[in-house]
Amino acid sequence: MSGPADLPGLTGLPGLPVPLAQRVRERQGDFLLFALTPPRRTTAPEKVAEIAGRTLARLAPLDLDGVLLYDIDDESDRTDQERPFPFLPTLDPADYLRDHLGAAGLPAVVYRAVGKYAPDELGAWAAAQDPTDVLSVFVGSASRDTPVRTTLPAAHALRTEAAPDLLVGGVAIPERHTRRGDEHLRMLAKQASGCGFFVTQVVYDVNAAKNLVSDYRYACLEQGVEPVPVVFTFSVVGGVRTLEFLRWLGVDVPRWIANDLTHAHDPLQASHEHSAAAARELLAYAHASGVPVGLSVESVSARRVEIEQSVALAHELRSLLG
Amino acid sequence: MSGPADLPGLTGLPGLPVPLAQRVRERQGDFLLFALTPPRRTTAPEKVAEIAGRTLARLAPLDLDGVLLYDIDDESDRTDQERPFPFLPTLDPADYLRDHLGAAGLPAVVYRAVGKYAPDELGAWAAAQDPTDVLSVFVGSASRDTPVRTTLPAAHALRTEAAPDLLVGGVAIPERHTRRGDEHLRMLAKQASGCGFFVTQVVYDVNAAKNLVSDYRYACLEQGVEPVPVVFTFSVVGGVRTLEFLRWLGVDVPRWIANDLTHAHDPLQASHEHSAAAARELLAYAHASGVPVGLSVESVSARRVEIEQSVALAHELRSLLG
């Protein structure tokens, strides 16, 4: 409270939520995002506007801190298994935001699959963003064999140069931590190259998520680094096909949950309950451990019932954040 | 309520707890056991009596449904890793029960490492037990290379012949399920050969425990078999050495819990809280899934503070059972 005439800073204004970028910068968690995949590239422009309008109407009651916009890449070179849903190129998330979602005034976290862009293009985009409203997540390629136009380290170097104020996050994968045990060190390395937050893929294995938070926390303590927010993503599953798709994406679903979803009369409702319980457990753990944690909800499939249930899940997660 | 003059059966007598053997036979869970390792074989007889007296005094306030008596076997052929605590032969649990604990009138589950006994010896022991007060758990050898006097299948066949009323349980290992994925099928096979309940080793990985309960439940459903009680065992950890010993015994301790215990100011208290939380979660899950679950507490080490904290843990678990 050192402003002129004791005017409170933005953070201190009672009743006004702290904007996402400021929260992340101040290393606060407890925010809620909704993750969207832009419409397919083949969608007619008037149809895109209609989809965007319907999406914003759905999200309006949620009191979100922001939206997250995925930059979908064909990840079929990541695995030999057949993709359960076909890959269809989608609109550029930055274009979709600018042309269709900007009016809502919601902060946005725009993913960049950096390998898809030339360095100039990526740098120019980063420099053109208003860092109070736009954040980004830089994602490297899914496999070493994918030809890339910009590597992840190059993208971070570019950003530091061209857009020093743009908050950029990285991907953190609890499942990779289960296999290799060093994801917390990767996070610290990414943090050193400029990541100000992390986002996970969909979480069903809370134990793996807690392992990562814990190892990250103690590594931060050891290295004298302050932990940055980690955004955990949750989603519902409407049936066996979506469950298979989650697995194809690399999501570990514990057997007991997979069994429940496979046998449930209403898998959508059952997965909603599992996800809400997982989020609750993870939040309680994060609060106790001092690592700032945010929540994100996505609809893995494009089926209307799954989208609507995801919105209901976001409603419930909002209530967990008080 | 079909007895003469509407006299309730034993189960229905209000205020009187249902004895352990009856509970297990009726496939009810929600009972509490305390697991004991008999004193070392070199202990002087008067000292053994003193230990037993102290133990019973400690356990008296716990309102236990029974005690579990381990039959310790040198398991050093199970693994190449050095045993963190030395192996010291202990008194035969059946002798210890008969000579020192019987007076307490508590039902007892007596372990039999069946490979240690000749078939005649094992059969005679089984036949001599009062099946209303004594149950047993038959344990096979820890490794294929151990020479055995009676194999596990032979022990079950013997028991069916010599002591058809004696309730015998088997060992179920969630960690083995994590590695091989077929522990639920082993349980069903053991059930078919006569096992009326199962007991696990110490549980710190609730997720693994839930996976096993879930797979067991759905396999029972599929085969039209009623699930029998599964007793999950909990313990406290006083420090890094006990944690190492747990791991040596084959217990999976999730990284986030191991981290917490390693960094805790008071690992004993921290492990108590982790164990109570795990038991609470597992019980809630078991109640929802319809698999009867009992709880057992043991002290992994012989240190006085760890024993006392285990008793405190048993107190807390008792309160979970209502």
Side-chain angles (χ1 to χ4, degrees), chain A residues 207 210-211 281, chain B residues 174-175 200-210 232-239 242-243 245-247 250-261 267-279 281-282 297-298 300 306 309-310 313:
Chain A
N207 200 50
K210 284 174 157 181
N211 285 342
E281 190 176 339
Chain B
E175 282 83 353
T200 71
Q201 57 188 10
V202 170
V203 171
Y204 268 91
D205 187 345
V206 190
N207 199 50
K210 284 174 155 181
F232 286 94
T233 305
F234 297 91
S235 185
V236 295
V237 168
T242 308
L243 189 61
F245 185 49
L246 273 184
R247 285 183 171 141
V251 175
D252 282 350
V253 181
R255 294 174 70 109
W256 65 277
I257 297 180
N259 283 344
D260 275 2
L261 298 184
L268 217 43
Q269 185 57 35
S271 65
H272 174 125
E273 283 160 21
H274 278 297
S275 296
E281 189 177 339
L282 208 46
V297 176
E298 73 169 280
V300 171
E306 298 200 21
Q309 191 75 43
S310 299
L313 177 62

Side-chain angles (χ1 to χ4, degrees), chain A residues 17-41:
Chain A
V18 182
L20 181 64
Q22 189 184 339
R23 264 182 190 271
V24 171
R25 232 179 276 282
E26 293 177 355
R27 296 168 183 199
Q28 294 178 41
D30 289 8
F31 51 81
L32 180 66
L33 308 176
F34 200 95
L36 300 170
T37 300
R40 292 175 195 164
R41 216 175 288 163

Side-chain angles (χ1 to χ4, degrees), chain A residues 236-255:
Chain A
V236 296
V237 169
V240 173
R241 246 184 113 212
T242 307
L243 190 61
E244 275 166 18
F245 186 48
L246 273 185
R247 285 183 171 141
W248 185 89
L249 288 168
V251 175
D252 282 352
V253 181
R255 293 175 70 109

Side-chain angles (χ1 to χ4, degrees), chain A:
Chain A
M1 295 295 178
S2 60
D6 279 338
L7 271 181
L10 237 176
T11 327
L13 269 180
L16 259 196
V18 182
L20 181 64
Q22 189 184 339
R23 264 182 190 271
V24 171
R25 232 179 276 282
E26 293 177 355
R27 296 168 183 199
Q28 294 178 41
D30 289 8
F31 51 81
L32 180 66
L33 308 176
F34 200 95
L36 300 170
T37 300
R40 292 175 195 164
R41 216 175 288 163
T42 51
T43 317
E46 62 281 10
K47 183 81 181 155
V48 174
E50 188 194 317
I51 292 173
R54 205 162 47 212
T55 302
L56 290 177
R58 273 203 189 103
L59 301 186
L62 283 179
D63 190 19
L64 293 173
D65 293 290
V67 289
L68 229 144
L69 292 164
Y70 290 141
D71 194 6
I72 300 297
D73 210 359
D74 181 2
E75 299 197 1
S76 57
D77 49 359
R78 192 173 54 76
T79 163
D80 293 334
Q81 288 171 283
E82 205 189 332
R83 203 179 202 277
F85 291 119
F87 170 70
L88 295 164
T90 52
L91 288 176
D92 182 290
D95 296 347
Y96 184 54
L97 172 66
R98 184 195 56 216
D99 299 340
H100 296 283
L101 301 179
L106 269 175
V109 181
V110 179
Y111 271 56
R112 303 273 72 174
V114 298
K116 285 164 63 174
Y117 307 100
D120 284 1
E121 195 183 359
L122 190 64
W125 175 81
Q129 303 312 306
D130 176 353
T132 56
D133 284 336
V134 175
L135 299 80
S136 187
V137 168
F138 285 177
V139 187
S141 66
S143 120
R144 270 159 216 249
D145 305 329
T146 316
V148 297
R149 299 174 70 190
T150 305
T151 65
L152 197 52
H156 280 296
L158 259 170
R159 198 273 315 168
T160 311
E161 182 79 7
D165 293 334
L166 182 68
L167 265 169
V168 171
V171 168
I173 304 187
E175 282 83 353
R176 196 157 56 191
H177 196 52
T178 303
R179 316 256 181 280
R180 304 190 196 163
D182 65 352
E183 189 70 2
H184 59 308
L185 302 177
R186 286 162 170 262
M187 289 167 73
L188 278 162
K190 286 180 182 176
Q191 207 169 322
S193 61
C195 278
F197 61 104
F198 294 97
V199 187
T200 70
Q201 56 188 11
V202 170
V203 170
Y204 269 91
D205 187 346
V206 191
N207 200 50
K210 284 174 157 181
N211 285 342
L212 182 56
V213 168
S214 175
D215 281 343
Y216 174 59
R217 171 203 184 186
Y218 285 112
C220 282
L221 267 178
E222 219 170 82
Q223 301 189 15
V225 168
E226 201 187 342
V228 298
V230 185
V231 182
F232 286 95
T233 304
F234 298 91
S235 186
V236 296
V237 169
V240 173
R241 246 184 113 212
T242 307
L243 190 61
E244 275 166 18
F245 186 48
L246 273 185
R247 285 183 171 141
W248 185 89
L249 288 168
V251 175
D252 282 352
V253 181
R255 293 175 70 109
W256 66 276
I257 297 180
N259 283 344
D260 275 2
L261 298 184
T262 307
H263 291 83
H265 289 294
D266 185 350
L268 218 42
Q269 184 58 36
S271 64
H272 174 126
E273 283 160 21
H274 279 295
S275 296
R280 201 176 298 117
E281 190 176 339
L282 209 46
L283 265 186
Y285 180 68
H287 290 163
S289 73
V291 173
V293 157
L295 305 178
S296 174
V297 176
E298 73 169 280
S299 181
V300 171
S301 95
R303 292 174 54 215
R304 193 180 53 79
V305 286
E306 298 200 21
I307 295 172
E308 284 171 0
Q309 192 75 44
S310 300
V311 172
L313 177 61
H315 255 297
E316 182 157 355
L317 298 199
R318 176 86 267 170
S319 74
L320 299 182
L321 296 170

